[in-house]
Amino acid sequence: MTQILDSAVAAWLLVGFSVLWVALGYVLGRRSKELDDFMLAGRKVGLALGSATAMATWVTSNTTLVAPELAYRLGIWGMLGYSLGSVGLLLFAPMAARIRALMPSGYTSGDFIRLRFGKAAWRIFLVVSLLYSFGWLVSLGAAGGVLIESLSGIPFAIGATTILVICVLYTLLGGMKAVIGTDYVQTIIIVIGVVIVGCLTLTVVDLDHVHSELSQARPKLLDVLMPASVMFLFNNLLFGVGEIFHSNVWWSRAFAFDRGVGFKAYLLAGILWIPIPIAAGFIALSAPALGLGIPSADHVGPIVAAKILGTGGAVLLFVVVFSAIASSLDSLLAATSDLVVEDIYRRHLRPAASHRELRRASSFVIVLLGALTWTICILDLATLAQILHLTGALVASTIWPIAAGLYWRRTNPAGAAGAILLGSVGGLVSYYAIGFYTAALVGATISMIVVVVTTRLRPVEFDWDQLRESHT
Amino acid sequence: MKVVAAWMMAALLASASAAQGQSATLPGPPAVSLTSPLLDAGPDAASRDGNLSLLWRLPDSLADPASGRRSNPAATRWSFQVEERIGEVSTMIDAGAYLSTALSGREDGVYQYRVRALDADGTPGPWSAPIELRVNHHPLWLALLFFAIGGLVFLATATLIVAGHRLSRDPSEV
Amino acid sequence: MIFPLAVLEVMVYAALVVSACAPVILLVLLYRDWREGRLW
């Protein structure tokens, strides 16, 4: 794989931004001593920071690297389908408001499932949630290593280690405020970078030429009825909805945002996220028009950017993807640590733990998660990306239990637990029997049916006040 | 800018030395052998989404005796050209200096591929033995079925949330 | 049936315009929150 960015330049960028994030994180979060400050930024985050963190966290390396890949492989629908990932954010907007209203002293998504549906559902949910968190953590660490290596030749191990270490460091130093503060800066960088690369691409490449070249050489990419992409469309959407609905990354934000902010922040983030996959993805469609050899689809983004924009483009891409990875990794480390500390450490092992003890446990767990992620990344298990795909069935099966649990008073708790279980199993079967692009769809469908049928047959009344659990 | 200039210098030097070497001892671009992951998937395997991957290997004689790796050394910098043939129509595809290429957006059909190396002057080497790959898109009815089911689940979910949001709204819960 | 050129153009231009507005919106909101002491 030919190197696009000079190793020395890349190393300087890596070091420079690492110092920036760690310094920023330290400064922003150094007063977060109390548990609620460390875990939930004091529960008063405003609209600007709130929207930015929601957006930054959902713009992952996938958005910036996979969007071009999907455009290259699945054409226009691939790109548009990816934009449908914003639906998860948009649908979560009203839910974020409801979560904060129903659980003013809540900490995690696990808290909700436990109080709403009982211990069985809670434990099944935790398994799903932790598997997904690890799948995402590992894929982010690996993406960091791969990106840095493919763009600059710096070995995978060094790149992955650097990214993991700095994210662990500033999350440790400053907690959620460090995460949210750096997310804001990273959002600005990501969006400006994507816009610049996109606009510069348009000065070099003519959409008319791109379109005619595609219709000649790669007609299926422009086909409105391209079977594979039509099939993936709602599977992608439901995968994204499942990811957002269940993951503590988004719930912790719902708890951290000030009253009245959650709805607007998620709505704004969702709307602003929609164009990102298109702006990042369309450059891949110009590869045929430019006569570029593309060795494999997952390299199309960096190759086109570098070809069109030279070293400058490669630098921009490097900075953008690095920011995208960091902004998701820090959120994930913090939120998963919250989940482990609250739902496993406190609720299973040490119910009488003081806030100070929990605060210390949070730090320890962040480091532990970083170390575990690093270990799995370095072992270079080739199936990493596949793990994340597998979680599609699992996370999509939580959609209806969570939505129905939040809005219906009579959702059957055993039905909710069963829905997650059966949906996950059904989705996994479908994954192997039919294909990975059906897992989330099947999981969500089975889960929905189970929730609706059990609630119809045996509704169970629930008092919303049971969710107002005090933490002291 | 410096980096770009340095790269260009290196490229010029490389092609100069390659041209020199050619007149002396280098035999010209090597024959390459062509394969595809799709062929490993079985005799009836077809691409279901119009995506095809081609991989090629330089001959053993160019392998590094220590590691056994065959790479495309900067000194010679071969580039590669793929010929795609469907029916009577033949297209040349520039595959750059890589040892693989990813093609996409193909329609249903049987495609024949062969590849050859080009040296820095554009002189071609011999063609590889051809391989045949099939594209057979998923049936449209299946795709639309998934689309419909997914659409229904999505609409039901959105309705649940929007309706729930409307019903639960009261001044204390903004 | 293929997506016409016009669709591709509208999609790409709209995407770039909206994306370009995003940092502006976020910066304005940040300033407003900061002035009103509602940052976090």
Side-chain angles (χ1 to χ4, degrees):
Chain A
M1 172 69 212
T2 42
Q3 184 176 313
I4 293 165
L5 197 59
D6 179 51
S7 298
V9 171
W12 276 114
L13 284 173
L14 203 55
V15 167
F17 276 96
S18 299
V19 168
L20 174 65
W21 303 139
V22 174
L24 200 56
Y26 172 69
V27 164
L28 292 171
R30 64 174 180 266
R31 265 177 250 132
S32 294
K33 299 283 183 266
E34 298 302 317
L35 188 68
D36 274 26
D37 285 335
F38 190 78
M39 272 185 163
L40 299 174
R43 300 186 192 261
K44 284 175 58 59
V45 177
L47 183 60
L49 291 169
S51 312
T53 185
M55 211 177 137
T57 305
W58 201 222
V59 180
T60 66
S61 50
N62 279 355
T63 320
T64 47
L65 291 178
V66 172
E69 181 187 342
L70 276 181
Y72 188 77
R73 297 182 53 148
L74 298 178
I76 305 267
W77 270 134
M79 251 183 353
L80 283 175
Y82 211 71
S83 283
L84 289 179
S86 64
V87 169
L89 288 175
L90 295 170
L91 286 179
F92 197 72
M95 287 169 58
R98 183 137 174 93
I99 289 167
R100 198 183 190 304
L102 287 177
M103 301 179 66
S105 13
Y107 280 87
T108 67
S109 50
D111 282 342
F112 171 74
I113 298 286
R114 173 176 51 84
L115 292 167
R116 183 70 183 81
F117 293 130
K119 300 232 159 116
W122 177 48
R123 291 189 175 121
I124 297 172
F125 176 80
L126 281 179
V127 170
V128 167
S129 207
L130 286 169
L131 280 173
Y132 170 78
S133 296
F134 262 108
W136 196 6
L137 273 168
V138 168
S139 76
L140 282 171
V146 166
L147 159 82
I148 292 173
E149 186 172 53
S150 70
L151 278 181
S152 70
I154 296 176
F156 173 88
I158 295 184
T161 306
T162 307
I163 283 193
L164 279 169
V165 165
I166 62 149
C167 286
V168 165
L169 199 53
Y170 72 76
T171 306
L172 203 58
L173 286 175
M176 186 153 238
K177 282 199 175 177
V179 168
I180 289 183
T182 53
D183 277 358
Y184 186 89
V185 178
Q186 284 152 354
T187 308
I188 304 288
I189 290 176
I190 290 166
V191 180
I192 291 181
V194 166
V195 170
I196 290 179
V197 172
C199 287
L200 286 178
T201 304
L202 284 181
T203 64
V204 175
V205 149
D206 180 13
L207 282 180
D208 198 341
H209 181 41
V210 168
H211 189 271
S212 61
E213 183 63 29
L214 287 177
S215 51
Q216 259 189 325
R218 299 180 194 232
K220 272 322 210 204
L221 296 187
L222 293 176
D223 190 356
V224 176
L225 292 176
M226 213 282 227
S229 7
V230 166
M231 217 179 246
F232 295 162
L233 226 59
F234 280 113
N235 191 76
N236 281 342
L237 184 149
L238 290 168
F239 192 163
V241 170
E243 289 185 82
I244 292 180
F245 276 26
H246 95 282
S247 170
N248 198 45
V249 169
W250 314 99
W251 282 70
S252 59
R253 275 154 182 75
F255 292 127
F257 293 168
D258 203 355
R259 291 179 52 130
V261 168
F263 181 86
K264 290 184 225 155
Y266 273 103
L267 199 64
L268 184 62
I271 293 172
L272 293 179
W273 195 91
I274 294 173
I276 303 282
I278 298 174
F282 90 94
I283 66 170
L285 295 177
S286 47
L290 292 168
L292 285 175
I294 304 290
S296 67
D298 52 4
H299 285 120
V300 65
I303 289 177
V304 176
K307 170 71 177 188
I308 291 180
L309 307 162
T311 310
V315 167
L316 256 177
L317 194 72
F318 186 92
V319 171
V320 166
V321 182
F322 184 33
S323 300
I325 293 174
S327 64
S328 305
L329 199 50
D330 60 13
S331 306
L332 195 50
L333 281 168
T336 310
S337 158
D338 290 351
L339 193 71
V340 170
V341 169
E342 168 70 3
D343 288 80
I344 296 182
Y345 184 72
R346 179 165 184 259
R347 297 285 169 186
H348 279 91
L349 300 174
R350 303 258 316 149
S354 67
H355 274 208
R356 271 188 53 204
E357 187 184 336
L358 294 174
R359 168 73 183 82
R360 278 199 311 261
S362 300
S363 297
F364 177 73
V365 172
I366 290 172
V367 176
L368 181 66
L369 289 173
L372 278 171
T373 305
W374 180 84
T375 309
I376 301 178
C377 278
I378 294 299
L379 290 180
D380 198 23
L381 303 168
T383 46
L384 290 177
Q386 313 232 348
I387 295 178
L388 201 57
H389 269 301
L390 271 174
T391 61
L394 277 63
V395 305
S397 72
T398 66
I399 295 175
W400 267 74
I402 287 175
L406 276 174
Y407 287 111
W408 289 356
R409 201 182 263 280
R410 301 195 179 92
T411 313
N412 186 313
I420 301 178
L421 209 52
L422 290 173
S424 299
V425 169
L428 285 173
V429 166
S430 175
Y431 182 100
Y432 289 108
I434 309 178
F436 74 88
Y437 43 76
T438 59
L441 191 82
V442 171
T445 309
I446 292 177
S447 165
M448 178 178 85
I449 293 172
V450 172
V451 167
V452 169
V453 167
T454 55
T455 301
R456 262 290 137 97
L457 292 178
R458 278 204 59 215
V460 176
E461 283 282 338
F462 182 78
D463 180 3
W464 297 119
D465 285 341
Q466 283 179 252
L467 294 173
R468 290 174 173 268
E469 179 186 58
S470 162
H471 211 239
T472 48
Chain B
M1 265 350 260
K2 258 208 223 163
V3 173
V4 176
W7 179 85
M8 285 170 70
M9 280 287 293
L12 279 169
L13 282 171
S15 57
S17 62
Q20 257 190 337
Q22 203 150 22
S23 58
T25 50
L26 275 172
V32 287
S33 52
L34 180 62
T35 183
S36 168
L38 199 55
L39 295 177
D40 298 333
D44 288 325
S47 164
R48 308 314 308 267
D49 55 10
N51 284 289
L52 297 167
S53 270
L54 301 171
L55 308 157
W56 44 90
R57 286 154 58 101
L58 294 168
D60 288 352
S61 54
L62 287 182
D64 172 11
S67 66
R69 281 215 315 240
R70 293 166 205 79
S71 58
N72 191 2
T76 45
R77 241 329 161 228
W78 313 120
S79 63
F80 298 95
Q81 194 177 50
V82 170
E83 186 199 33
E84 175 184 72
R85 177 181 286 270
I86 173 166
E88 292 304 308
V89 180
S90 164
T91 324
M92 292 301 220
I93 300 168
D94 180 4
Y98 305 108
L99 293 174
S100 64
T101 199
L103 303 170
S104 66
R106 263 61 185 166
E107 300 263 22
D108 282 347
V110 177
Y111 294 80
Q112 266 199 351
Y113 292 99
R114 42 186 201 160
V115 68
R116 63 183 177 186
L118 305 169
D119 72 11
D121 299 323
T123 317
W127 283 111
S128 68
I131 61 171
E132 214 170 69
L133 298 175
R134 266 196 327 137
V135 171
N136 182 16
H137 284 271
H138 290 290
L140 191 56
W141 67 262
L142 185 65
L144 290 173
L145 179 67
F146 276 106
F147 184 86
I149 296 174
L152 275 166
V153 174
F154 162 63
L155 277 173
T157 311
T159 307
L160 164 65
I161 292 169
V162 170
H165 179 66
R166 289 237 174 95
L167 285 172
S168 71
R169 253 214 300 224
D170 74 64
S172 72
E173 285 182 13
V174 179
Chain C
M1 191 199 115
I2 66 167
F3 283 103
L5 173 62
V7 168
L8 181 62
E9 286 179 326
V10 166
M11 245 174 56
V12 172
Y13 294 136
L16 289 172
V17 166
V18 174
S19 300
C21 290
V24 176
I25 294 174
L26 288 172
L27 286 167
V28 167
L29 284 175
L30 187 74
Y31 180 70
R32 197 192 69 171
D33 277 352
W34 174 66
R35 290 289 296 213
E36 296 173 9
R38 288 188 317 195
L39 217 48
W40 53 20

